Amino acid sequence: MRSFIRNFLLTFFLCGMVALVALAKLDYPLTGIDDANIYLVYARNLANGYGFVYNVGGERVEGFTSFLWTLVAAAAFKLSTHPEVILLIINIVILSLGIAVALTYVQKGLPGMEQNRQSRFLYGAVFLVLLLSSPRYIVWNTLTLMENGLWSTLLLVGTIFAIRVPPTPRAIHPGWMPLIVLLVLTRPEAILWGAIFAGILFIRIALSKDLVRAIKDLSPAILCFLGSIALMTLFRLQYFGYPLPNTYYAKVSPSFIYNLQQGSHYLAKYAISDPIVSLSVAVIFVSSLYTLYEIFSRRIANDRSSFLPMIGAVGLLTPLLIGGDHFGSFRLYQNIYPIELLCLLYFASTLLPKFINWIEKFGISPWKRGTFKLGLALVFGIVFAMSQLQLWSYVQSEIGIEFSVANYQRKNGAFIQKLFSTLPQLPSLGAITTGGIKYSYEGEIVDLMGLNNTLMAHNHGDRKGIKNHAAFDIPTFYQLQPDVVWPVTTIEANWQYRESDIKESWENKEGLRGLFDEPHFLELYIYAKVTDQANHRYALIAWFKKDFLKQLANDGFRVEEYEYKP
């Protein structure tokens, strides 16, 4: 415990410092990304007593992936009407706890570390440097204000628990039960991860004792796991009407083959995105094969980290089931990045010496051991330094746009709110990015991507196309018919109408599947610019329903219509 507390204080300080550096590198975005603003919308509505709804007075919908993080954000709203800083601090604290647990494991749990003080210090330092120097890991798990930090920490703690805790009922039940409940509350993938952790504990007990004892010892914990899943599913069915979050139905294609293809491409891109990652991925698969060999040979040691690479392999392969992700910096893999590094250290401390000894048996000695280690460390250090410098130089282009979108959409929603404040009822807005705009707009937002709209999410489409933005369906749109579609705030003096900009836009060609060129759409909507007579420095340009646009003109707004030919 003393080592853990010391490690936590150290990691909290270092994590906070690196997060501040990343914050400065991204021009201090305290808004989170747009998806984080979706969490904030639900959290604010929950804290204000409206329940789990996206639009106040609207349908109950689970447009967020993490139930637990929504509760955490709602608690932050109880403390402040601007909870962003609170959530940032919570993220740093949670992340530091996980890193401290991992660092303690590196110092005490890796084979050969127990009695070797010099190695403990060296491996611990390497782990911290590799982890905290990664801008991808820090940004996604702290600054985005998403649940990534919470999920990453739970996976990390669960991993270390599964491979290190003595597999006895006295150790498993008080530790694993609360952990698995938190996992189930955090993300739906906990069903898979809980099964993996339980399977590892089962194998460890069975190898050291027998199958009957393994079943007996794990039964209470497994019942807790299954009970948590059942209760969470029953709650979802009762409250929302569906067994999984609405995000799953809006994002994941029903085609397993398509998901596997897209997910494989996602993994391949990740594997070559960074030399440290490439090395970790290679080490995980090589070490996993060695662990399987040990299991089948019944030579696996019960107090060693042999199962660690298999957990890392599960983390690498899990995104294949859902087709990967569209965000920059490989969001889904930042959750398991600490586990990847632990696998790398495990290989260096355990399997690499065995490999060297095996080579030497054949009379092949590359160099003297000391020279070999020094050369290997030098090459590794140079490659690492170059790759990290490159990652930090790319951080703005990789993920900075996500913060810019959230900031713009907050301003967009605030302007529309002020523009239409004199109307008896705020118009409904059909939008594609729906976090920041809803956070600052009190009227109805119709989520055209389906994350926060069950009608769009459950339209039985193929979900093929731009990842996480392929749920849009034109027939479903005609059932929704928002008053305004694709609202954009602009400085009027800097804007001029170009038909080609609309026709060739991503929104028309990809996101909305050619909606703007639909004859029926053009019968209902017209492209126009709307400003307030009193102050028209800023203008709202969008597709407006024709009857609503006529109402605006009658209410004294300046309206300029533009002819659009499909």
Side-chain angles (χ1 to χ4, degrees):
M1 182 57 67
R2 185 178 300 173
S3 297
F4 169 74
I5 293 174
R6 182 175 62 248
N7 288 338
F8 169 71
L9 294 176
L10 173 64
T11 55
F12 178 70
F13 172 76
L14 294 177
C15 191
M17 292 298 99
V18 178
L20 285 176
V21 172
L23 197 66
K25 189 75 175 178
L26 293 167
D27 297 327
Y28 301 96
L30 290 175
T31 59
I33 65 171
D34 198 68
D35 279 27
N37 282 255
I38 293 178
Y39 275 109
L40 295 179
V41 169
Y42 283 98
R44 182 176 60 192
N45 289 341
L46 181 63
N48 291 335
Y50 298 113
F52 293 102
V53 295
Y54 176 69
N55 291 300
V56 173
E59 63 175 339
R60 294 174 177 177
V61 55
E62 195 174 1
F64 46 88
T65 306
S66 176
F67 188 85
L68 182 56
W69 187 245
T70 306
L71 297 180
V72 171
F77 266 106
K78 287 292 187 181
L79 299 175
S80 172
T81 55
H82 299 283
E84 292 86 351
V85 174
I86 296 175
L87 292 177
L88 176 60
I89 294 173
I90 290 174
N91 265 336
I92 294 174
V93 170
I94 290 175
L95 204 66
S96 301
L97 286 171
I99 297 173
V101 170
L103 181 59
T104 304
Y105 161 73
V106 169
Q107 295 169 339
K108 305 288 186 179
L110 274 177
M113 296 297 109
E114 294 85 350
Q115 305 300 325
N116 192 330
R117 185 174 181 179
Q118 183 178 1
S119 295
R120 286 206 305 264
F121 176 81
L122 176 62
Y123 275 73
V126 169
F127 176 73
L128 282 181
V129 170
L130 289 176
L131 188 63
L132 295 181
S133 64
S134 170
R136 293 171 171 175
Y137 176 74
I138 291 297
V139 171
W140 267 114
N141 289 293
T142 58
L143 305 188
T144 60
L145 306 186
M146 297 280 283
E147 83 284 0
N148 292 70
L150 173 62
W151 181 240
S152 178
T153 294
L154 290 174
L155 290 182
L156 186 57
V157 174
T159 296
I160 295 173
F161 185 90
I163 63 177
R164 287 301 303 165
V165 171
T168 61
R170 179 174 293 182
I172 292 172
H173 297 161
W176 197 62
M177 286 182 177
L179 176 64
I180 204 62
V181 171
L182 291 175
L183 279 168
V184 171
L185 287 173
T186 302
R187 286 185 69 93
E189 297 96 310
I191 298 174
L192 171 63
W193 281 103
I196 294 297
F197 294 149
I200 290 173
L201 289 171
F202 180 84
I203 294 174
R204 291 182 63 197
I205 298 173
L207 288 175
S208 62
K209 298 175 183 177
D210 55 66
L211 290 175
V212 175
R213 188 60 182 269
I215 295 173
K216 181 179 178 181
D217 288 354
L218 275 179
S219 291
I222 291 175
L223 288 175
C224 176
F225 173 48
L226 296 177
S228 301
I229 296 172
L231 290 174
M232 193 70 219
T233 303
L234 287 173
F235 171 78
R236 285 192 171 110
L237 288 171
Q238 181 66 28
Y239 194 90
F240 300 109
Y242 299 99
L244 292 171
N246 199 59
T247 52
Y248 172 83
Y249 303 102
K251 290 182 177 182
V252 180
S253 172
S255 171
F256 175 76
I257 299 299
Y258 178 78
N259 289 331
L260 192 61
Q261 291 173 342
Q262 296 298 307
S264 299
H265 182 63
Y266 185 68
L267 173 58
K269 288 177 63 178
Y270 175 65
I272 62 174
S273 66
D274 168 25
I276 306 302
V277 169
S278 301
L279 182 60
S280 299
V281 171
V283 160
I284 285 171
F285 285 107
V286 170
S287 303
S288 296
L289 292 175
Y290 183 80
T291 298
L292 289 173
Y293 169 75
E294 280 194 319
I295 292 174
F296 288 118
S297 302
R298 298 186 66 84
R299 299 190 309 173
I300 193 164
N302 206 29
D303 59 345
R304 289 177 52 191
S305 305
S306 304
F307 289 102
L308 180 59
M310 299 186 70
I311 296 175
V314 170
L316 290 174
L317 296 175
T318 299
L320 272 64
L321 302 177
I322 60 173
D325 189 53
H326 77 285
F327 284 110
S329 295
F330 301 98
R331 173 181 68 124
L332 297 181
Y333 285 126
Q334 301 317 308
N335 299 323
I336 64 160
Y337 187 60
I339 301 175
E340 294 175 31
L341 296 181
L342 291 180
C343 292
L344 189 61
L345 295 178
Y346 162 75
F347 179 84
S349 67
T350 306
L351 300 187
L352 186 60
K354 290 183 179 181
F355 178 72
I356 295 174
N357 290 336
W358 180 76
I359 292 179
E360 290 178 344
K361 285 182 180 179
F362 292 91
I364 304 172
S365 180
W367 298 284
K368 292 182 179 180
R369 286 190 176 228
T371 305
F372 177 75
K373 289 180 179 179
L374 181 62
L376 196 63
L378 183 62
V379 171
F380 184 84
I382 293 173
V383 171
F384 166 74
M386 293 178 62
S387 67
Q388 296 308 95
L389 287 173
Q390 185 179 44
L391 287 179
W392 278 99
S393 66
Y394 287 165
V395 65
Q396 179 68 45
S397 60
E398 272 196 351
I399 194 174
I401 184 64
E402 304 296 341
F403 295 96
S404 300
V405 167
N407 183 52
Y408 165 74
Q409 290 295 354
R410 282 194 178 193
K411 294 177 179 178
N412 192 23
F415 171 76
I416 300 171
Q417 172 85 20
K418 183 177 180 181
L419 179 66
F420 295 137
S421 60
T422 58
L423 296 179
Q425 181 177 345
L426 291 171
S428 59
L429 309 179
I432 293 176
T433 50
T434 56
I437 191 170
K438 180 57 188 172
Y439 188 74
S440 57
Y441 183 69
E442 296 178 5
E444 180 187 3
I445 298 290
V446 177
D447 187 349
L448 300 180
M449 297 295 101
L451 298 180
N452 307 286
N453 185 286
T454 56
L455 187 63
M456 188 64 76
H458 295 267
N459 59 32
H460 305 294
D462 59 13
R463 305 292 183 272
K464 295 180 180 180
I466 302 298
K467 183 60 185 171
N468 296 352
H469 293 83
F472 179 78
D473 176 66
I474 290 178
T476 306
F477 170 82
Y478 291 130
Q479 297 179 55
L480 297 169
Q481 290 193 25
D483 297 317
V484 182
V485 175
W486 191 28
V488 176
T489 298
T490 185
I491 299 176
E492 185 178 21
N494 297 341
W495 184 83
Q496 64 182 50
Y497 175 71
R498 295 186 185 92
E499 186 179 88
S500 60
D501 290 347
I502 306 170
K503 195 178 297 292
E504 299 301 319
S505 65
W506 176 89
E507 286 77 7
N508 185 43
K509 298 186 69 174
E510 298 286 346
L512 302 181
R513 302 178 184 266
L515 175 68
F516 303 156
D517 296 315
E518 282 276 315
H520 185 44
F521 177 80
L522 296 176
E523 291 176 4
L524 297 171
Y525 291 85
I526 188 167
Y527 199 72
K529 178 176 68 174
V530 173
T531 56
D532 191 341
Q533 290 282 16
N535 180 11
H536 51 83
R537 182 189 176 201
Y538 291 95
L540 175 65
I541 57 172
W543 290 97
F544 294 85
K545 285 190 77 172
K546 291 181 178 180
D547 55 352
F548 176 65
L549 194 62
K550 183 177 180 181
Q551 175 193 336
L552 292 179
N554 293 335
D555 288 341
F557 288 88
R558 291 180 64 240
V559 174
E560 292 185 33
E561 301 178 4
Y562 301 96
E563 183 180 2
Y564 180 86
K565 295 180 181 180

